[in-house]
Amino acid sequence: MYLVRPVDFADLPALERLAQQAGIGITNFPANRERLNDKIASSRRSFQTDVVQPGDESYLFVLVDTSNEQIVGCCGIDAMVGVDTPFYSYRIDEVVHASPQLQIHNRIPALFLCHDYSGTSRLIALVVDKAHQNPLAMSLLSRARLLFIARYPERFTKRLFAELRGESDKHGYSAFWDALGKHFFTMDFKKADYLSGVSNKNFIAELMPRYPIYVPTLPEAAQEAIGVVHENSGQSADILLDEGFEFRGYVDIFDAGPSIEARTESLHTITNQKTDKALTLTEISKGAIHLISAGHLENFRVTAAPAEPQVAGLALEKSTQERLGISSGKRIQWVAL
Amino acid sequence: MYLVRPVDFADLPALERLAQQAGIGITNFPANRERLNDKIASSRRSFQTDVVQPGDESYLFVLVDTSNEQIVGCCGIDAMVGVDTPFYSYRIDEVVHASPQLQIHNRIPALFLCHDYSGTSRLIALVVDKAHQNPLAMSLLSRARLLFIARYPERFTKRLFAELRGESDKHGYSAFWDALGKHFFTMDFKKADYLSGVSNKNFIAELMPRYPIYVPTLPEAAQEAIGVVHENSGQSADILLDEGFEFRGYVDIFDAGPSIEARTESLHTITNQKTDKALTLTEISKGAIHLISAGHLENFRVTAAPAEPQVAGLALEKSTQERLGISSGKRIQWVAL
Amino acid sequence: MMVIRPICQNDLKSLYRLAEKTGIGFTSLVSDEAILQKKIDGAVRSFNKENVTKPHNEDYLMVLEDTTTGDIVGTCGILATVGLDEPFYSYHLGTITHASRELGVHNAIPTLILNNDFTGFSEICTLFLEEDYRHSKNGQLLSKARFMFMAQFPERFTDKVFAEMRGVSDENGISPLWESLGRHFFSIDFKEADELTSQGNKQFIAELMPNNPVYVNLLPQEARDVLGQVHKNTVPARRLLEQEGFRYENYVDIFDGGPSLEARVQDIRAVRDSRLCLANIGQPKGIREGKGEGMSEGNYYLVSNAKVKDFRCILIQRSIPPGSAMTLTQEEADCLCIINKEPVRIVELSPYSR
Amino acid sequence: MMVIRPICQNDLKSLYRLAEKTGIGFTSLVSDEAILQKKIDGAVRSFNKENVTKPHNEDYLMVLEDTTTGDIVGTCGILATVGLDEPFYSYHLGTITHASRELGVHNAIPTLILNNDFTGFSEICTLFLEEDYRHSKNGQLLSKARFMFMAQFPERFTDKVFAEMRGVSDENGISPLWESLGRHFFSIDFKEADELTSQGNKQFIAELMPNNPVYVNLLPQEARDVLGQVHKNTVPARRLLEQEGFRYENYVDIFDGGPSLEARVQDIRAVRDSRLCLANIGQPKGIREGKGEGMSEGNYYLVSNAKVKDFRCILIQRSIPPGSAMTLTQEEADCLCIINKEPVRIVELSPYSR
């Protein structure tokens, strides 16, 4: 079975392994031990802080295979991006150029560098071991974050977004980067991607184009990559799209991967989650699989297990209660898988 | 009592008188006999046409004082603006300029010339004789249009906007125009306003600034006029705001008067209007005042009268039925005032 | 003798014949009688204007006449101002620097910025010489006669003048810059755009061209390579202007990227070095009587009269440098429409002939 | 005698004393010992470089020394290139035309366009002369000695050079352009912005300045009036450069609107007309022995040696024009660090002194 819980310092080696697997294009999860350690520290601080309104907190969760207590995945939430340095995206806007006399009406898409997601909560870095990339584990890990947001709404903004990894090949070659970013950074995608993970982001303001880029003037391969999700990220993208996330024309400035966004209150998991007492089933549950969470902040746990909604609460097997570290009568939060 | 009905050629002298009263700043209602006659012709054509989807139709309505059959007001709806030539507005967008090192984070509002309302239905030209500017007449005339839209949704777009007249003094002086448009048109506000009403709008593309205008660089009087409604238009503005119209940062390119917009389905009148049979009251009604419409297209009529909602329909006084040209049992449409 | 003179009403047929020979890309002469007639009218009006104190909308179109045959074999012109009736567009090749000290990266990125900076300036234009006459320095006479006119009547032109040079395109008229830039915005082909422009119809440029700077480093290499470069047939014309002091100051044509060359009138070699002297009609020293044309010796000189309406300019050869007076043969004087002791303006044909 | 020479390590105290006198708005000399020491180090390194084949990051800072007192009384400098370490910003005053044939309206609207067009160009800068020495053509010597250096070592500079001139501000340092433009975007005051810039910190300009063109016609009249205008104290310096052939080509300072003047090195009068000749040490004709300084007669000449590290330039007066040799007194030769028969470069001090 699987369990999702906040990251701990002991998880560093596992995180490092996951980061190496993740590969290029997931800039907020660099395979750099020191940076990962910082991220764990920051996450622990975030879980421990009393928060009145979202700030620079960053929450990291790990996915545990309870059969052997191995860490097999991780994910996170940034309470607010763009606090210290602006958060950059490209907004795809259409520029209209029309000549009534020539009967020409052109709508030309152009990329505008913007900060529009600054000040917004962000879902980050869903990484799962290949062997565990099954729908259950993926869904649990991804949606556990939404249960956390539902539980602690004051810690997040009403608007939420996620960056989906854009197209690049296994050597880290991105047609979009090659056509655009490379000319302004004079370095390869891999390096820029890495720097963007480990350094402050001033260099983006310093180096990126300040004028809009007209899409039709880019090479075709680059045009085709705009807003396209990396094949390895299709599954996690689908989970979020099913939740109610939408593409609103924002793409990553490096690889043109799409950003998708939603108002938290309109997300499936958040709308449908219920909070009530945990009840105990004496036999094996014949109920549907539910995502069930319990525990406060640092002790927040989420698992997926069969369970039966009843009038007084949700009835769980004893083993599920144990996994969550609760007993009958405790408050739990759940949603159907 | 008052009645609203489609305009007719016989109304030309009255319309001319109203247009002269309307004054500067209502560009779609120029005091030019020929143009007004064209507008009437176009309106009649629009009411008579079978429409599948909105195009360049323009519907004009007049307000009749039934006590003496005088025309005392008029208003209209453009099915879609920007069909032949683009429809221009300024969009107020904030440009962020931040220097982390200097700890400066400036959000600078700037005016961007745009066509964002092209392809949208527009409420136009609410003009009422001074003597009849009472809440009942104003509300009836303004909301009669919404009843028409509710009745014929296929003739209009889902998004609807109205331009509110901006600040200018009685001599036609506009501080905003003086600071901005004048430099590009090299003519006074009155003339530009008139030209914009009578000519095609190519000249706007030809003469208006193509680069954004940074608001703080404008003189203060001009800055203060942005998005402010002319004092004479406060009442008609309030009617629309009460309906659910909202300001979304678009202003007129000449006088910076605000545009307000809404989705038709979210407007109060459209949501709450009912269609059912007309019933007859034998005595004087003690019911609340309702806006009641009847008749198809060219025969569309709206009046305001006391009426009593019943299970089978709306009960009206005989005189109200006569005013609408209907008898008991006919289908009518109504909404509470 | 080859004589430069203002175009006149009788030249319509000849001008039409020349226009037919110019080919694509030469937009200032199109083979359309109505347009050419209008051009002639404008030129005649311009040369007839007396007491001009500052440049307005004059169009000084001149022709090269072979007096032996009476044929018109070339044209050259000066527009007193451009861009006052219809906007005149060009791209300015500027620089935007992006630098990050932290990363040690410093990029100076060239940009194309749409502008109307030449609005109100004088332009030299409409240079065309028939193929059969491309010898005996006729091309130089045709091009530089304009400087003699400008030297004599500087009040009719702006302090700075410019010339647009034809940019690079291949045998099929395909322009690399147009293919990677203009095409995306115009939805019409280069030829059509070029023709509309030549007919003075430029509103569509404002309507269709992007008004934000274009990053040159994002253009394909073949487009970058032609910025500021002239068509191979135009290389001699460019060299000729550069020898006279014209400079490429980073303005290029918005369609094909051909360079504009500019100069201050007073800095043009032929203007600066030209001087007035009196004509002596007689037998020049060092020229044997009866010696055939093209068989003279010595340096080449441009000689023009000092008249507007009857402006004339010819090319002569002298082995002895002229002083305060210039001895001209009767034929030369006739070609220049002058009589004895009238003033003429002279200058060495090229900077190296002194 | 007044001698121009490269700055050296011993000059720190004197340079500091001068820097204290420059006042606000003179950003290239700030009274901070560490910064000045760095500047001296850079200059010493630059003059010591041999075999320079193209301009890089050299900073040729020179001083004017009064040899009778040993005092340093002025500075002048040339930067081999600007904008390669930190972006160099300027505004280009361009034109956007808006015209409607239908309405008969034609507006040519000036615009300010932010750019880095001077990236990689050589700049003449850091001109300062102590008030007590503003006489006897010391100012001209200080300014034009740089052209002698450039004439001798053109490979160390770009073909085109420019100079930024101080723009208009009032007694309180208030700049009309800054007040109506920069202030809205910087949220800091002119002085602070100016200081940051002078310390080579320019990233904030990219971050805070609007990158869209600014319509000049929307600026208040007092701001429009100062575009391309120099501070009243800078009028003579501007005239001096213009006499040498420098031209205002529509580039202005982004803060105060002061003009940049530019010229091709080979077109600068003092460069073009200067020539090498051999020094004859002896008694020049027309100068009586023992005649006091400042009492000579005749035309003024700039004379420099042909050395880099030991570059020297002085101003002398001669009543007889020099030919292929130049007779110099022993004192003059000593000041120039030359011995008999060494080459010197000479030029008339001003275009009118020939």
Side-chain angles (χ1 to χ4, degrees):
Chain A
M1 298 306 291
Y2 294 108
L3 182 75
V4 172
R5 63 161 171 78
V7 76
D8 199 357
F9 282 115
D11 303 327
L12 181 58
L15 241 54
E16 215 177 335
R17 187 177 48 81
L18 285 169
Q20 275 155 6
Q21 280 179 29
I24 302 149
I26 305 204
T27 54
N28 36 41
F29 202 51
N32 171 316
R33 169 168 284 216
E34 205 177 322
R35 284 284 299 166
L36 287 175
N37 196 62
D38 287 353
K39 280 189 175 278
I40 296 175
S42 151
S43 173
R44 287 183 50 82
R45 234 181 359 259
S46 302
F47 279 105
Q48 287 159 6
T49 313
D50 270 345
V51 169
V52 184
Q53 58 183 37
D56 60 0
E57 300 83 33
S58 181
Y59 305 89
L60 273 186
F61 300 89
V62 290
L63 176 68
V64 183
D65 176 352
T66 53
S67 67
N68 55 10
E69 291 299 317
Q70 283 282 308
I71 307 292
V72 298
C74 85
C75 70
I77 324 170
D78 284 335
M80 188 180 270
V81 299
V83 175
D84 287 330
T85 49
F87 180 86
Y88 291 95
S89 321
Y90 274 131
R91 187 179 65 232
I92 308 172
D93 255 2
E94 281 191 336
V95 182
V96 178
H97 282 288
S99 171
Q101 180 205 356
L102 302 188
Q103 302 267 324
I104 292 172
H105 187 91
N106 290 333
R107 307 182 75 89
I108 297 165
L111 304 174
F112 292 80
L113 192 66
C114 72
H115 307 172
D116 290 1
Y117 282 127
S118 274
T120 311
S121 297
R122 171 173 69 161
L123 299 184
I124 51 168
L126 183 76
V127 184
V128 176
D129 264 346
K130 255 220 152 78
H132 292 271
Q133 289 183 4
N134 57 66
L136 178 70
M138 296 292 279
S139 197
L140 169 63
L141 183 59
S142 184
R143 294 170 63 191
R145 297 177 291 191
L146 302 180
L147 286 173
F148 188 79
I149 291 171
R151 179 85 178 273
Y152 304 103
E154 71 284 0
R155 290 178 176 256
F156 302 98
T157 60
K158 296 254 170 277
R159 191 162 159 233
L160 186 63
F161 79 106
E163 296 175 285
L164 299 176
R165 184 175 167 192
E167 271 196 338
S168 63
D169 70 15
K170 61 179 172 223
H171 306 295
Y173 174 84
S174 151
F176 182 77
W177 171 263
D178 207 54
L180 185 49
K182 196 184 71 176
H183 296 288
F184 291 87
F185 282 82
T186 47
M187 58 182 76
D188 64 17
F189 177 51
K190 215 165 142 177
K191 183 166 176 203
D193 192 54
Y194 177 80
L195 282 170
S196 155
V198 300
S199 116
N200 74 50
K201 310 235 167 143
N202 280 347
F203 76 97
I204 295 176
E206 288 167 346
L207 296 182
M208 280 306 267
R210 290 190 281 271
Y211 294 103
I213 303 297
Y214 298 97
V215 173
T217 64
L218 294 174
E220 278 192 22
Q223 293 186 37
E224 282 165 10
I226 295 172
V228 171
V229 179
H230 193 284
E231 53 175 352
N232 291 353
S233 296
Q235 202 179 348
S236 47
D238 287 345
I239 295 171
L240 295 177
L241 293 170
D242 286 347
E243 277 290 328
F245 276 83
E246 286 179 331
F247 177 61
R248 288 281 176 81
Y250 290 90
V251 299
D252 183 70
I253 57 170
F254 288 164
D255 63 12
S259 286
I260 52 180
E261 62 173 272
R263 305 230 127 229
T264 51
E265 79 264 16
S266 69
L267 291 172
H268 172 78
T269 296
I270 292 176
T271 316
N272 293 305
Q273 56 91 24
K274 290 205 177 64
T275 301
D276 209 332
K277 276 205 281 286
L279 309 177
T280 309
L281 280 175
T282 46
E283 68 260 53
I284 301 273
S285 172
K286 295 188 209 69
I289 305 279
H290 284 70
L291 304 183
I292 310 147
S293 74
H296 187 58
L297 288 172
E298 290 176 87
N299 297 313
F300 187 77
R301 299 284 183 277
V302 194
T303 191
E308 294 169 17
Q310 300 181 357
V311 177
L314 185 71
L316 312 177
E317 293 173 16
K318 199 75 194 161
S319 63
T320 306
Q321 291 187 0
E322 279 160 13
R323 205 152 60 240
L324 290 170
I326 56 161
S327 52
S328 193
K330 290 283 177 197
R331 290 200 84 73
I332 57 172
Q333 185 192 12
W334 72 87
V335 69
L337 181 67
Chain B
M1 299 306 290
Y2 295 109
L3 182 74
V4 172
R5 62 160 172 80
V7 76
D8 199 356
F9 283 115
D11 303 326
L12 181 58
L15 241 51
E16 213 177 338
R17 186 178 48 80
L18 284 169
Q20 274 154 7
Q21 280 178 28
I24 302 150
I26 304 203
T27 53
N28 36 40
F29 203 52
N32 173 315
R33 168 168 285 215
E34 205 177 321
R35 283 284 299 165
L36 287 175
N37 195 63
D38 287 352
K39 278 188 176 280
I40 295 174
S42 152
S43 173
R44 286 182 52 83
R45 231 179 4 256
S46 301
F47 278 104
Q48 288 161 5
T49 311
D50 269 342
V51 170
V52 184
Q53 57 183 40
D56 62 359
E57 302 82 32
S58 181
Y59 305 89
L60 273 185
F61 300 89
V62 291
L63 177 68
V64 184
D65 176 353
T66 54
S67 67
N68 55 11
E69 291 299 318
Q70 282 283 309
I71 306 292
V72 298
C74 83
C75 68
I77 325 171
D78 284 335
M80 188 180 271
V81 299
V83 175
D84 286 330
T85 51
F87 180 86
Y88 291 95
S89 322
Y90 275 132
R91 186 180 65 232
I92 309 174
D93 255 2
E94 281 191 336
V95 181
V96 178
H97 282 287
S99 170
Q101 180 206 359
L102 301 187
Q103 303 267 323
I104 292 172
H105 188 92
N106 290 333
R107 306 183 75 91
I108 297 164
L111 304 174
F112 292 81
L113 193 65
C114 72
H115 309 171
D116 290 2
Y117 282 127
S118 274
T120 311
S121 297
R122 172 173 69 162
L123 300 183
I124 52 168
L126 182 76
V127 184
V128 176
D129 264 346
K130 253 220 156 75
H132 293 271
Q133 289 182 2
N134 55 65
L136 179 69
M138 295 292 279
S139 197
L140 168 63
L141 183 57
S142 184
R143 294 173 60 191
R145 296 178 290 190
L146 302 181
L147 285 172
F148 188 78
I149 290 171
R151 180 81 178 274
Y152 303 103
E154 72 283 2
R155 290 178 176 255
F156 303 98
T157 60
K158 296 257 168 273
R159 191 162 161 234
L160 187 63
F161 78 106
E163 295 175 287
L164 300 175
R165 184 175 168 192
E167 270 196 339
S168 63
D169 69 14
K170 62 180 173 223
H171 306 294
Y173 173 84
S174 150
F176 182 78
W177 172 263
D178 208 54
L180 186 50
K182 197 183 71 176
H183 296 288
F184 292 87
F185 283 81
T186 47
M187 58 182 74
D188 65 16
F189 177 53
K190 216 166 139 174
K191 184 166 175 203
D193 192 53
Y194 177 80
L195 282 171
S196 156
V198 301
S199 117
N200 75 49
K201 309 235 167 143
N202 280 348
F203 76 95
I204 295 176
E206 289 167 345
L207 296 183
M208 280 306 265
R210 288 189 281 269
Y211 294 102
I213 303 297
Y214 298 97
V215 173
T217 65
L218 295 174
E220 278 190 23
Q223 292 187 37
E224 282 164 11
I226 294 172
V228 172
V229 179
H230 193 282
E231 55 175 351
N232 291 355
S233 296
Q235 202 179 347
S236 46
D238 287 344
I239 294 169
L240 295 178
L241 293 171
D242 286 347
E243 277 289 331
F245 277 83
E246 286 178 330
F247 177 62
R248 288 280 176 83
Y250 291 90
V251 300
D252 183 72
I253 58 170
F254 288 165
D255 64 11
S259 286
I260 53 179
E261 63 173 272
R263 306 229 125 230
T264 51
E265 79 264 16
S266 70
L267 292 171
H268 172 79
T269 296
I270 292 177
T271 315
N272 293 303
Q273 56 92 23
K274 291 206 175 61
T275 302
D276 210 332
K277 279 205 279 288
L279 309 176
T280 309
L281 278 176
T282 46
E283 69 261 53
I284 301 271
S285 170
K286 294 187 208 71
I289 306 278
H290 284 68
L291 304 182
I292 309 148
S293 74
H296 186 58
L297 287 172
E298 290 177 86
N299 297 313
F300 187 76
R301 300 284 184 274
V302 195
T303 191
E308 294 169 19
Q310 299 180 357
V311 177
L314 186 72
L316 312 176
E317 293 174 14
K318 200 76 195 160
S319 63
T320 306
Q321 292 186 0
E322 280 161 11
R323 203 151 63 240
L324 289 170
I326 55 163
S327 52
S328 195
K330 289 283 174 195
R331 289 200 83 71
I332 56 172
Q333 183 193 13
W334 71 89
V335 69
L337 181 67
Chain C
M1 189 123 216
M2 304 303 296
V3 182
I4 299 283
R5 61 161 174 84
I7 199 164
C8 68
Q9 290 294 356
N10 294 334
D11 296 328
L12 180 61
K13 283 227 159 52
S14 311
L15 191 61
Y16 186 85
R17 197 176 48 78
L18 283 182
E20 283 184 318
K21 296 185 179 177
T22 56
I24 297 171
F26 195 89
T27 52
S28 49
L29 277 188
V30 285
S31 45
D32 174 315
E33 280 212 11
I35 293 176
L36 293 177
Q37 181 61 51
K38 232 175 116 188
K39 232 179 142 50
I40 293 177
D41 293 345
V44 168
R45 217 169 25 244
S46 302
F47 281 105
N48 276 331
K49 272 193 199 172
E50 285 167 26
N51 305 322
V52 172
T53 54
K54 56 176 193 159
H56 190 49
N57 63 352
E58 296 81 28
D59 176 354
Y60 301 98
L61 182 61
M62 306 187 225
V63 293
L64 178 62
E65 179 179 337
D66 182 342
T67 56
T68 54
T69 62
D71 286 348
I72 304 302
V73 299
T75 61
C76 65
I78 323 173
L79 290 170
T81 57
V82 300
L84 295 186
D85 287 326
E86 281 286 337
F88 184 92
Y89 288 93
S90 46
Y91 265 138
H92 181 230
L93 192 62
T95 302
I96 300 276
T97 303
H98 286 271
S100 168
R101 191 177 279 191
E102 189 190 349
L103 303 192
V105 174
H106 183 100
N107 296 325
I109 297 164
T111 49
L112 292 173
I113 299 173
L114 192 66
N115 66 79
N116 308 100
D117 291 358
F118 283 119
T119 303
F121 283 93
S122 300
E123 182 189 11
I124 58 173
C125 56
T126 328
L127 187 73
F128 181 72
L129 179 60
E130 236 183 72
E131 203 141 359
D132 295 349
Y133 281 83
R134 294 185 188 162
H135 57 73
S136 308
K137 303 190 186 294
N138 283 329
Q140 289 198 57
L141 165 61
L142 198 54
S143 178
K144 296 184 182 179
R146 299 178 288 194
F147 304 142
M148 299 299 273
F149 189 76
M150 293 167 80
Q152 189 61 40
F153 307 105
E155 69 281 2
R156 291 176 179 254
F157 305 98
T158 52
D159 290 348
K160 205 190 254 184
V161 299
F162 74 103
E164 290 188 292
M165 311 299 289
R166 184 176 171 194
V168 176
S169 59
D170 68 13
E171 318 77 57
N172 305 315
I174 303 289
S175 147
L177 185 69
W178 173 266
E179 291 305 313
S180 24
L181 186 56
R183 191 173 60 82
H184 298 298
F185 297 94
F186 282 96
S187 328
I188 51 179
D189 67 17
F190 179 53
K191 195 163 156 276
E192 195 181 343
D194 213 34
E195 279 171 10
L196 282 165
T197 309
S198 72
Q199 291 155 23
N201 185 336
K202 298 189 179 174
Q203 173 57 23
F204 76 101
I205 296 175
E207 288 166 342
L208 298 181
M209 270 306 241
N211 53 20
N212 283 295
V214 170
Y215 291 104
V216 172
N217 57 349
L218 298 185
L219 295 175
Q221 189 65 43
E222 59 270 24
R224 297 207 293 274
D225 286 348
V226 303
L227 290 174
Q229 298 300 317
V230 294
H231 192 279
K232 63 178 189 291
N233 296 346
T234 308
V235 171
R238 176 179 194 163
R239 196 163 46 221
L240 190 152
L241 289 181
E242 286 180 340
Q243 282 170 359
E244 289 293 319
F246 278 75
R247 296 277 179 267
Y248 168 52
E249 296 286 3
N250 293 324
Y251 285 91
V252 301
D253 184 73
I254 59 169
F255 291 156
D256 66 14
S260 289
L261 302 183
E262 53 188 86
R264 282 167 200 270
V265 173
Q266 295 311 319
D267 292 343
I268 299 171
R269 198 266 334 171
V271 172
R272 197 180 59 223
D273 291 354
S274 76
R275 58 272 180 196
L276 279 179
C277 59
L278 293 185
N280 270 336
I281 300 179
Q283 188 51 28
K285 281 178 202 162
I287 295 197
R288 272 167 296 145
E289 208 154 343
K291 201 176 169 188
E293 219 180 307
M295 298 191 58
S296 323
E297 284 162 9
N299 286 331
Y300 286 94
Y301 294 89
L302 290 170
V303 187
S304 71
N305 65 19
K307 307 172 182 190
V308 181
K309 191 177 158 189
D310 296 318
F311 180 76
R312 294 291 186 279
C313 183
I314 60 171
L315 182 63
I316 62 169
Q317 233 179 334
R318 288 295 182 271
S319 43
I320 299 161
S324 62
M326 178 78 175
T327 306
L328 296 168
T329 65
Q330 188 60 49
E331 187 198 1
E332 288 164 352
D334 289 346
C335 284
L336 283 170
C337 296
I338 54 160
I339 55 172
N340 205 20
K341 299 300 170 198
E342 271 198 285
V344 290
R345 178 170 289 273
I346 61 168
V347 76
E348 292 71 18
L349 176 63
S350 84
Y352 311 114
S353 57
R354 251 216 276 207
Chain D
M1 190 121 214
M2 305 302 296
V3 182
I4 299 282
R5 62 162 174 82
I7 199 165
C8 68
Q9 290 294 357
N10 293 334
D11 295 328
L12 179 60
K13 283 224 157 57
S14 312
L15 190 62
Y16 187 86
R17 198 176 47 78
L18 283 181
E20 283 185 319
K21 296 183 178 177
T22 56
I24 298 172
F26 195 89
T27 52
S28 49
L29 278 189
V30 284
S31 45
D32 174 315
E33 281 212 11
I35 293 175
L36 293 178
Q37 180 61 51
K38 232 175 114 187
K39 232 178 142 51
I40 293 178
D41 293 344
V44 168
R45 216 169 23 243
S46 303
F47 280 106
N48 277 332
K49 272 194 200 170
E50 286 168 24
N51 306 322
V52 172
T53 53
K54 59 177 191 158
H56 190 50
N57 64 351
E58 295 80 28
D59 176 356
Y60 301 97
L61 182 61
M62 306 185 225
V63 292
L64 179 62
E65 179 179 336
D66 182 342
T67 55
T68 54
T69 61
D71 285 349
I72 305 300
V73 300
T75 61
C76 65
I78 322 172
L79 290 171
T81 58
V82 300
L84 295 187
D85 287 326
E86 281 287 336
F88 184 94
Y89 288 95
S90 47
Y91 265 139
H92 181 231
L93 194 61
T95 303
I96 299 276
T97 303
H98 287 270
S100 168
R101 190 175 278 190
E102 188 190 348
L103 303 191
V105 174
H106 182 101
N107 296 324
I109 296 163
T111 48
L112 292 173
I113 299 174
L114 192 65
N115 67 79
N116 308 100
D117 291 358
F118 283 120
T119 302
F121 283 94
S122 302
E123 181 189 11
I124 58 172
C125 56
T126 330
L127 188 72
F128 182 71
L129 179 59
E130 238 184 72
E131 202 140 1
D132 294 350
Y133 281 83
R134 295 187 187 161
H135 58 72
S136 309
K137 305 191 184 294
N138 284 327
Q140 289 199 54
L141 166 59
L142 198 53
S143 178
K144 296 183 183 177
R146 297 178 290 194
F147 303 142
M148 298 300 272
F149 189 77
M150 293 167 81
Q152 189 61 43
F153 307 106
E155 69 281 3
R156 290 175 179 255
F157 305 98
T158 52
D159 290 347
K160 206 190 252 184
V161 299
F162 74 103
E164 290 187 293
M165 311 300 289
R166 186 176 168 192
V168 176
S169 59
D170 68 12
E171 320 77 56
N172 304 314
I174 303 291
S175 146
L177 184 68
W178 174 265
E179 290 306 313
S180 21
L181 187 55
R183 191 171 63 81
H184 298 298
F185 296 93
F186 282 96
S187 325
I188 51 179
D189 67 17
F190 179 51
K191 196 164 154 277
E192 196 181 342
D194 215 32
E195 279 170 9
L196 281 166
T197 310
S198 70
Q199 292 155 24
N201 186 335
K202 298 187 177 172
Q203 173 56 23
F204 77 102
I205 296 174
E207 288 166 343
L208 298 180
M209 271 307 243
N211 52 21
N212 283 295
V214 170
Y215 292 104
V216 172
N217 56 349
L218 298 184
L219 295 176
Q221 189 65 45
E222 59 270 24
R224 297 208 291 274
D225 287 347
V226 302
L227 290 174
Q229 297 301 315
V230 293
H231 192 279
K232 63 178 188 292
N233 296 346
T234 307
V235 171
R238 177 179 192 160
R239 195 164 47 221
L240 190 151
L241 289 181
E242 287 179 340
Q243 283 170 359
E244 290 293 320
F246 279 76
R247 297 277 179 268
Y248 167 52
E249 296 286 4
N250 294 323
Y251 285 91
V252 302
D253 184 74
I254 59 169
F255 291 155
D256 65 15
S260 288
L261 302 184
E262 55 188 84
R264 282 170 201 268
V265 172
Q266 295 309 322
D267 292 344
I268 299 171
R269 196 269 329 170
V271 172
R272 196 178 59 223
D273 291 354
S274 75
R275 57 273 180 195
L276 278 180
C277 58
L278 293 185
N280 271 335
I281 300 180
Q283 188 51 29
K285 282 178 202 161
I287 296 197
R288 274 165 294 143
E289 206 154 343
K291 201 178 169 189
E293 219 181 305
M295 299 190 55
S296 325
E297 285 162 6
N299 286 332
Y300 286 94
Y301 294 88
L302 289 171
V303 186
S304 70
N305 64 22
K307 307 173 182 189
V308 182
K309 190 178 158 190
D310 296 317
F311 180 75
R312 295 291 185 278
C313 183
I314 60 171
L315 181 64
I316 62 170
Q317 233 177 335
R318 291 291 182 272
S319 44
I320 299 161
S324 63
M326 177 79 173
T327 305
L328 296 168
T329 65
Q330 187 62 48
E331 187 198 0
E332 289 165 349
D334 290 347
C335 285
L336 284 170
C337 296
I338 54 160
I339 56 172
N340 204 20
K341 300 301 173 197
E342 272 198 283
V344 291
R345 178 170 288 274
I346 61 170
V347 76
E348 292 71 18
L349 177 64
S350 83
Y352 311 113
S353 58
R354 252 214 279 206

